[in-house]
Amino acid sequence: MSFSDRKRSLAAADAERAFKNRIDIKFREGSVVRARDGRLVVLEGATEDAASVAEVAAVSRLLADLPNHAVVRMHDLSEAALEGLKRDGERKSGRTLPDLNLWFHLYVDVESTAALADLVNRLNALDVVEYAAPSPLPAPPPGMPADKAEAFEAYWREHDIAPWPTTTALQKGAAGPAGNVITVPGQRAIPPVKAVPDAPPLPGNYLSFQDYREAAPIGIDVNYVVSRYFGATGMNWGYTDCEYSWTKTHEDLTPIAGSVYANGTPSAGAMDYRDHGTAVVGQLSSVNNGWGTTGLVPDSMVRLSTEWPTTGYNRASAITAAAAQFWRGAVILLEMQTGASFDCNGADSSAPYVPAEWDPAVKSAVMTATANGRIVVAAAGNGNCDLDQAGFGGAFNPASVAQDSGAIIVGAGEKLTRNKASFSTYGSRVDAHAEGDWQIYTTGYGDLFSAEGENRWYTDSFSGTSGASPIVTGAAVSLSAMLWLNHGSIWAPREIRDILRRDGTPQGTGGHIGRRPDLKKQVEAMTNRHLQMQSADFDGDGRSDYTTWRPSTGTWYIRYANGTTGTQQWGQRGDIPAPADVNGDGRAELIVFRPSNGRWYIRYWNATTQSIQWGTRGDVPVPLDYDGDGRDDLVVFRTLTGGSVGRWYIRPWRGATTTITWGQRNDTPIARDMNGDGRDDLIVFRGLEGRWYIRYSGSGATARYDWGAWGDIPLTYRDSLRRWNIAVWRPSNATYYARNIHSGATATVQWGMPGDVPRFADRDGNGWDEWLVYRPSNRTWYNASFGPLVFGGVGDIAVAQ
């Protein structure tokens, strides 16, 4: 996207809340402008038209009239690393990204604020300059107590001259850190339950006061998922907190004791505000040790990225440094806000604080991070501003693909009522909220407990969109860790944002701040994403029936291919629907697998029922006809209690049970008759490799197909000759990629949108499948051959095959 529409004519008063000697400047895409030794250059050998070269020369002449100036790259990552983020992000997301190598800090020696405004205006008059503005002064974190926030603002009003860049910074060119990416999530074993010490030291155990952990509607119900799903505590996942500083030596925050500083060491000034970062990380990562607080995701890895390192205040660089950490699907928390630059809250006397991405440099960095698969959670700000106001120029229009940064913007609500907190910025672009009304128990500050020194300080009154954002971050990290550990996959940023938008607890009154996370509901999206079933033909007419299963009531809703409908209650929340034809009559039975006790519950169409013990917690049900007798067998795929390998436990209706080792931890199991011999074959999709591994049941022979990428949803489909084949649906761009393993033909079909649930189905009974998605947000099935049909409910699991 271009930020040229953000150019405006400045007066001296417009630079009051900005550094008086620093300008944020971005050059036009394709201009190949770089900084070398503090001066602008055009890369040698670059294909550049003469007009652009002349315009860059005009910028240099304009700056040469100043007593002194220096141009410094805004981002610390190497030029090659930034080029890689742009290239990879565009390839993965299908959208054009801003070139972060074209963002600079311009230090200038000017005599007055009026002269600074005049220089910015002259720069913006040049076509080669896409955007220029005085660098905004730092804003207090969106959760800092009012008295400290006032002191913070007063400090920066008195220190509004940015330190001149050092010689090292001026010489910063193509070289620089490439990042600290871990390409594969951790592979730690399932940890044992931690014992609570007999006599915990002071402070006391505040777990019971951490209401944000508890069930909806007050909390996000992390307690529910932790008790039922492996990985829910953030195990093997990671997040990066971007803000000022932290108390790394806090005794309840051992996960950050050795954390990497992604953007350099916090400056001495930043360390004055370490309580805020300590409180934020405490909500997420304080350890479960029987005293103090317990974080939402205490087993996750943590990185820290300061916006105010010793090299100088640089918010955008903190974000790109965070994007270079961990892997796709990792989470970045932006504990930042910025001024709106106009009165967006009317009679409210508080500062008009809004999401940090209102700053174009920050938005460029966020867009690049999300395009590269990082899930960005950002505070909405504590300015009580309506982001839908005309003054924002559509920058927060949720319907605009061009303006969408991909971030999850978080508002603050009152704990009990879920009404918008008086201070929270709001609007249709605010995606989710959590409590933020001065009642959050966490580490830091010391107003609750301070008797044993700063390393055991606690507070019971943390607040703001700063307090709400870690709660939403905790939901994102927990959902991500569960998806990785149970299915080896990752959420696309817009996919998980859609889940948070639609499936949480509704807000109360006030401006729009979105739903509050409810992990009990939202974890069902993981089941929906990777549901494996043999059939959704419930009346035996040879045609797929559109069906949804409602976890809240355990009710099946069936829309038969002839247009009639039916309902049947069978199952309960936490079950996994696994319909299959287990008696060979041509009709799929209503079946659920209950992970909590490893039992299958079968309801036959003559109303008789059956309960069979076969499986254990963490198993994935994959009913299949392994022996070719026309009856689907009860089968589970197990990795979480069997080491790193995958084992299939097969219970046929006649004959002995069988155990087959095929696959490994984090594979997704599938079963179909891929060679047409009448017996379903064992298939795993290994997302990290983008590979399919097939073990043919009749012969024991194996095959491998390279098809797909990490984060894709694997599916199988029948072609016009009724042969089974492989396909993936990519949530980041809502596109099917199909491969016919018999003919070698491939197909690419864009169908749906991020957040949809992909399926194949044979609705007309011709023997081959149509492209299909179910959209939970509007309860609609979209069939590429037969059009849309509204059937189902928000939160339902889509059943079709």
Side-chain angles (χ1 to χ4, degrees):
M1 66 177 297
S2 171
F3 295 100
S4 58
D5 61 343
R6 293 287 299 275
K7 288 183 178 182
R8 63 192 184 98
S9 179
L10 300 183
D14 296 318
E16 285 304 315
R17 298 179 64 88
F19 285 109
K20 302 304 186 289
N21 66 331
R22 196 172 87 173
I23 296 170
D24 293 347
I25 186 169
K26 182 181 183 293
F27 290 94
R28 187 184 60 228
E29 292 292 319
S31 57
V32 205
V33 179
R34 296 293 185 266
R36 296 291 185 267
D37 296 323
R39 296 295 183 262
L40 292 173
V41 301
V42 176
L43 287 182
E44 294 183 9
T47 55
E48 182 68 21
D49 62 90
S52 293
V53 173
E55 286 180 309
V56 172
V59 175
S60 297
R61 287 194 298 272
L62 181 62
L63 298 177
D65 292 337
L66 302 174
N68 196 10
H69 77 277
V71 183
V72 179
R73 297 177 63 238
M74 184 175 288
H75 299 275
D76 282 340
L77 290 183
S78 69
E79 290 177 0
L82 295 181
E83 289 169 1
L85 287 174
K86 177 176 170 63
R87 179 186 63 250
D88 294 345
E90 289 179 339
R91 176 176 55 83
K92 292 167 184 171
S93 68
R95 66 184 309 191
T96 301
L97 296 175
D99 185 351
L100 299 183
N101 275 315
L102 296 176
W103 276 102
F104 302 91
H105 283 140
L106 172 58
Y107 292 81
V108 294
D109 186 356
V110 292
E111 60 186 13
S112 66
T113 303
L116 176 68
D118 178 66
L119 176 59
V120 170
N121 291 336
R122 293 166 69 188
L123 288 168
N124 277 325
L126 300 172
D127 288 339
V128 76
V129 176
E130 181 180 305
Y131 172 82
S135 296
L137 290 176
M144 182 178 283
D147 57 339
K148 293 191 175 184
E150 291 174 4
F152 179 98
E153 293 173 325
Y155 170 87
W156 283 106
R157 285 195 297 270
E158 297 172 1
H159 297 80
D160 59 0
I161 302 298
W164 204 262
T166 64
T167 301
T168 301
L170 292 175
Q171 293 175 343
K172 181 172 61 178
N180 195 15
V181 177
I182 303 173
T183 57
V184 180
Q187 296 283 354
R188 288 182 289 163
I190 307 298
V193 177
K194 298 177 181 178
V196 177
D198 293 333
L202 290 175
N205 191 337
Y206 303 128
L207 181 62
S208 64
F209 299 101
Q210 293 178 259
D211 301 315
Y212 50 89
R213 296 181 54 89
E214 298 175 1
I218 294 175
I220 68 171
D221 215 349
V222 73
N223 293 337
Y224 171 84
V225 290
V226 166
S227 68
R228 287 168 174 79
Y229 295 89
F230 292 123
T233 56
M235 184 172 44
N236 294 319
W237 214 249
Y239 73 90
T240 302
D241 182 31
C242 296
E243 53 180 292
Y244 287 106
S245 59
W246 309 262
T247 303
K248 291 180 69 176
T249 53
H250 197 289
E251 294 180 19
D252 212 4
L253 295 179
T254 53
I256 71 168
S259 289
V260 171
Y261 279 136
N263 196 41
T265 305
S267 66
M271 290 303 294
D272 290 341
Y273 306 107
R274 61 188 179 274
D275 269 324
H276 188 277
T278 304
V280 166
V281 175
Q283 289 178 257
L284 291 162
S285 295
S286 53
V287 296
N288 183 10
N289 52 16
W291 55 274
T293 53
T294 298
L296 293 167
V297 284
D299 290 320
S300 59
M301 298 173 63
V302 189
R303 295 271 167 81
L304 308 172
S305 189
T306 180
E307 58 188 293
W308 189 6
T310 55
T311 53
Y313 182 73
N314 193 338
R315 178 171 279 184
S317 180
I319 299 169
T320 53
Q325 308 301 307
F326 296 130
W327 47 79
R328 290 173 56 209
V331 182
I332 299 172
L333 171 57
L334 302 187
E335 285 288 341
M336 304 172 176
Q337 59 185 1
T338 193
S341 71
F342 68 96
D343 183 5
C344 60
N345 57 14
D348 192 332
S349 60
S350 59
Y353 286 125
V354 297
E357 69 171 54
W358 174 237
D359 177 348
V362 170
K363 191 165 191 174
S364 294
V366 172
M367 290 177 67
T368 300
T370 58
N372 280 275
R374 273 54 172 188
I375 298 167
V376 176
V377 180
N382 293 351
N384 189 28
C385 289
D386 181 359
L387 298 178
D388 294 325
Q389 289 185 57
F392 290 107
F396 296 103
N397 178 2
S400 172
V401 175
Q403 291 288 353
D404 184 10
S405 69
I408 300 164
I409 297 180
V410 180
E414 297 173 353
K415 179 169 73 173
L416 299 179
T417 66
R418 303 185 309 284
N419 297 338
K420 184 188 86 69
S422 61
F423 52 78
S424 179
T425 287
Y426 59 98
S428 56
R429 178 62 180 82
V430 179
D431 303 297
H433 88 275
E435 69 168 279
D437 57 344
W438 303 282
Q439 300 183 67
I440 295 173
Y441 281 71
T442 185
T443 49
Y445 291 104
D447 52 288
L448 172 63
F449 184 85
S450 61
E452 298 187 16
E454 183 180 358
N455 288 336
R456 287 189 182 175
W457 280 5
Y458 293 86
T459 179
D460 60 0
S461 57
F462 193 48
S463 66
T465 53
S466 275
S469 296
I471 299 173
V472 176
T473 298
V477 172
S478 183
L479 288 168
S480 297
M482 286 187 283
L483 182 63
W484 162 248
L485 196 59
N486 289 277
H487 295 285
S489 194
I490 52 175
W491 301 104
R494 288 173 176 79
E495 181 187 16
I496 194 169
R497 184 178 68 182
D498 188 71
I499 293 167
L500 291 169
R501 280 176 172 174
R502 73 176 188 243
D503 290 338
T505 305
Q507 72 167 91
T509 61
H512 184 270
I513 54 172
R515 293 175 178 265
R516 182 172 294 184
D518 181 354
L519 290 175
K520 181 182 285 188
K521 293 180 181 178
Q522 289 159 338
V523 72
E524 303 291 355
M526 179 176 71
T527 299
N528 213 352
R529 198 180 195 267
H530 293 282
L531 189 67
Q532 303 300 331
M533 72 204 89
Q534 285 298 91
S535 173
D537 178 7
F538 294 107
D539 56 2
D541 65 353
R543 297 186 291 176
S544 301
D545 302 317
Y546 289 155
T547 304
T548 66
W549 183 75
R550 190 158 299 166
S552 60
T553 61
T555 302
W556 298 71
Y557 296 85
I558 304 173
R559 167 92 178 205
Y560 296 102
N562 63 13
T564 62
T565 62
T567 62
Q568 179 64 53
Q569 196 286 324
W570 188 250
Q572 64 185 35
R573 184 181 291 281
D575 290 349
I576 299 175
D581 180 11
V582 296
N583 63 0
D585 66 352
R587 302 177 67 185
E589 277 71 50
L590 303 184
I591 305 174
V592 295
F593 174 71
R594 190 159 298 164
S596 61
N597 61 11
R599 297 191 73 87
W600 297 71
Y601 296 87
I602 305 170
R603 187 187 189 281
Y604 296 94
W605 288 105
N606 62 8
T608 62
T609 64
Q610 190 174 12
S611 171
I612 298 175
Q613 177 70 48
W614 190 253
T616 189
R617 181 186 177 199
D619 287 352
V620 178
V622 196
L624 56 84
D625 182 8
Y626 172 78
D627 54 9
D629 67 351
R631 302 174 67 185
D632 293 328
D633 308 317
L634 304 185
V635 182
V636 295
F637 177 71
R638 182 176 305 165
T639 64
L640 297 180
T641 57
S644 61
V645 300
R647 291 190 174 92
W648 300 68
Y649 295 84
I650 302 171
R651 184 189 184 280
W653 293 100
R654 291 187 298 269
T657 62
T658 306
T659 300
I660 298 176
T661 299
W662 185 250
Q664 64 185 34
R665 182 182 294 178
N666 307 118
D667 287 351
T668 298
I670 308 171
R672 288 296 177 196
D673 180 8
M674 304 303 287
N675 60 0
D677 67 353
R679 302 174 67 172
D680 284 322
D681 306 310
L682 310 185
I683 309 169
V684 294
F685 175 69
R686 193 161 300 159
L688 274 176
E689 301 174 357
R691 288 174 177 165
W692 298 69
Y693 295 87
I694 303 174
R695 183 187 188 279
Y696 295 103
S697 295
S699 64
T702 64
R704 190 191 90 183
Y705 295 94
D706 294 348
W707 193 252
W710 195 29
D712 290 351
I713 301 174
L715 305 106
T716 54
Y717 72 97
R718 287 175 298 180
D719 62 17
S720 59
L721 299 178
R722 303 193 178 195
R723 301 172 300 189
W724 286 101
N725 296 281
I726 61 176
V728 296
W729 190 79
R730 190 158 297 163
S732 60
N733 60 10
T735 299
Y736 277 101
Y737 299 88
R739 177 173 177 176
N740 190 309
I741 65 173
H742 304 282
S743 69
T746 63
T748 300
V749 177
Q750 198 288 319
W751 190 249
M753 59 187 292
D756 288 351
V757 179
R759 296 285 186 260
F760 281 102
D762 178 13
R763 189 66 173 167
D764 57 5
N766 65 359
W768 51 298
D769 290 330
E770 303 102 36
W771 315 91
L772 186 71
V773 295
Y774 176 68
R775 187 159 301 159
S777 58
N778 63 5
R779 305 173 295 110
T780 301
W781 299 79
Y782 293 90
N783 188 311
S785 299
F786 301 113
L789 175 70
V790 177
F791 188 74
V794 175
D796 284 3
I797 291 177
V799 181
Q801 179 59 66

